[in-house]
Amino acid sequence: MKVINVFLIAMISVCCTKRDSDLAMAQYYVGDRDSLLVSFLLTQFNTFHYDQSEIERQLKGLRSGNPNSTYTRSIIASFGNFHFQSFRFDSQTHTPFAIEVTDHENNLLFIFTFTDEVYYNTNSLSARPVLDSLVLDRRSSNDSLLQEKINLETNLNGLIRKLNFEGDRNAIRGLIDVVFRKLLEMEAYDDSEIIMIVDQLGSEAKAVELVRAEYDQFMDSPNDDIFKFKSFEGGFGYWRVWIAEDDGFFKVKRKFFSDVLFTSLYM
């Protein structure tokens, strides 16, 4: 029985990431596309060890139309003139996932992924005692590895630019819905669910104070245009995603909250 079941989601998208040069070819045959997708996933999620041959085997099955299961899935969707296909792979480690998008001629335009949840799921925040209080330990904002793993906002905005949606709020709303709700199957939540978690925290006053501070910061975001999704893998986290305007263009912003991040405060 697997200790951790992992999902891999790949969508074929018409956007470009920082690896635009790798995706610049006009056309891929299925075999070449599969190799590119597997290589991309293993590179992005290199924190964990994955069985490449097993991922390749599962991808081949999904491409051929094998029925979806709980842990190995593929979903197809269209939005405008773009076509998306998502893939989930079963693995013993954290889910590597990506999004492939193609145009109406089946040209591969972008592979999108985000690795934020790898960071959030494996790096519990901790606190150290100072006199009679707890001081939260925070990672440096200049930590390049941390920046590499927290990239949902950057990569999603890259996808928006590639699709030329920066000037169309409604198109961005539709894209967010397709990516998170339909293809990634991330469930919505009500704020009352998080409030209940915070209200039921342990009795350590300083730990509770720290969690509540993070919760308040998480909730301090615009009230309109908010999309709320539970964590892609497992039920430990909550996303708030919204659309902001910057010099006449729209971009996506995001925040994440999970009391699991503070597990070490209760140890």
Side-chain angles (χ1 to χ4, degrees):
M1 181 175 182
K2 297 180 180 298
V3 176
I4 302 177
N5 284 300
V6 179
F7 302 92
L8 164 65
I9 296 183
M11 307 170 188
I12 303 178
S13 65
V14 279
C15 323
C16 294
T17 63
K18 59 184 178 182
R19 292 177 172 77
D20 285 347
S21 59
D22 296 335
L23 306 175
M25 302 178 202
Q27 180 70 51
Y28 295 95
Y29 294 103
V30 171
D32 295 329
R33 181 174 291 170
D34 287 355
S35 297
L36 179 65
L37 176 59
V38 172
S39 176
F40 176 77
L41 291 168
L42 296 178
T43 300
Q44 293 293 302
F45 292 86
N46 56 13
T47 300
F48 298 97
H49 172 74
Y50 296 99
D51 186 336
Q52 180 173 338
S53 62
E54 180 62 16
I55 290 178
E56 291 171 342
R57 183 190 67 78
Q58 293 178 28
L59 177 58
K60 182 177 180 180
L62 292 172
R63 291 281 198 200
S64 65
N66 284 356
N68 287 337
S69 66
T70 301
Y71 305 116
T72 307
R73 305 175 62 79
S74 179
I75 300 173
I76 296 174
S78 295
F79 185 72
N81 295 322
F82 307 120
H83 305 286
F84 300 76
Q85 186 170 5
S86 67
F87 301 92
R88 293 188 189 180
F89 298 88
D90 189 15
S91 173
Q92 291 287 346
T93 54
H94 190 92
T95 307
F97 60 93
I99 294 181
E100 260 185 18
V101 185
T102 54
D103 63 14
H104 64 285
E105 295 181 345
N106 199 34
N107 294 314
L108 177 61
L109 301 167
F110 186 77
I111 299 180
F112 164 81
T113 190
F114 63 92
T115 55
D116 302 55
E117 291 185 3
V118 174
Y119 168 76
Y120 288 127
N121 199 27
T122 58
N123 294 274
S124 291
L125 299 179
S126 61
R128 51 192 170 83
V130 175
L131 299 178
D132 294 327
S133 64
L134 289 172
V135 177
L136 186 66
D137 290 328
R138 297 184 179 274
R139 290 174 176 270
S140 169
S141 60
N142 296 321
D143 186 337
S144 60
L145 183 60
L146 182 152
Q147 296 302 321
E148 176 184 328
K149 292 181 180 179
I150 300 183
N151 53 23
L152 184 152
E153 185 175 315
T154 298
N155 293 351
L156 185 56
N157 283 314
L159 173 60
I160 290 169
R161 289 192 298 272
K162 180 63 179 181
L163 297 178
N164 199 28
F165 286 169
E166 310 103 298
D168 192 336
R169 180 188 290 270
N170 288 331
I172 296 174
R173 288 178 62 90
L175 180 66
I176 291 172
D177 183 69
V178 167
V179 168
F180 292 95
R181 182 187 61 81
K182 188 166 187 178
L183 291 168
L184 299 183
E185 299 182 299
M186 293 169 66
E187 298 181 356
Y189 67 88
D190 188 88
D191 285 340
S192 60
E193 182 176 335
I194 309 179
I195 294 171
M196 181 178 65
I197 292 175
V198 174
D199 288 343
Q200 293 178 352
L201 291 173
S203 59
E204 170 53 56
K206 288 299 180 181
V208 172
E209 179 182 334
L210 291 171
V211 177
R212 284 189 177 277
E214 290 294 315
Y215 166 76
D216 291 340
Q217 190 276 336
F218 170 75
M219 296 297 291
D220 183 22
S221 53
N223 292 321
D224 58 341
D225 254 343
I226 288 285
F227 298 82
K228 303 173 185 178
F229 301 105
K230 290 186 180 180
S231 175
F232 168 62
E233 180 170 273
F236 70 90
Y238 301 87
W239 288 102
R240 291 169 69 89
V241 179
W242 69 95
I243 302 169
E245 186 173 0
D246 183 13
D247 291 333
F249 293 97
F250 297 106
K251 62 174 55 177
V252 167
K253 299 288 188 178
R254 63 94 184 100
K255 288 186 179 181
F256 183 86
F257 173 80
S258 174
D259 68 308
V260 174
L261 294 173
F262 301 88
T263 301
S264 60
L265 300 183
Y266 303 97
M267 303 303 288

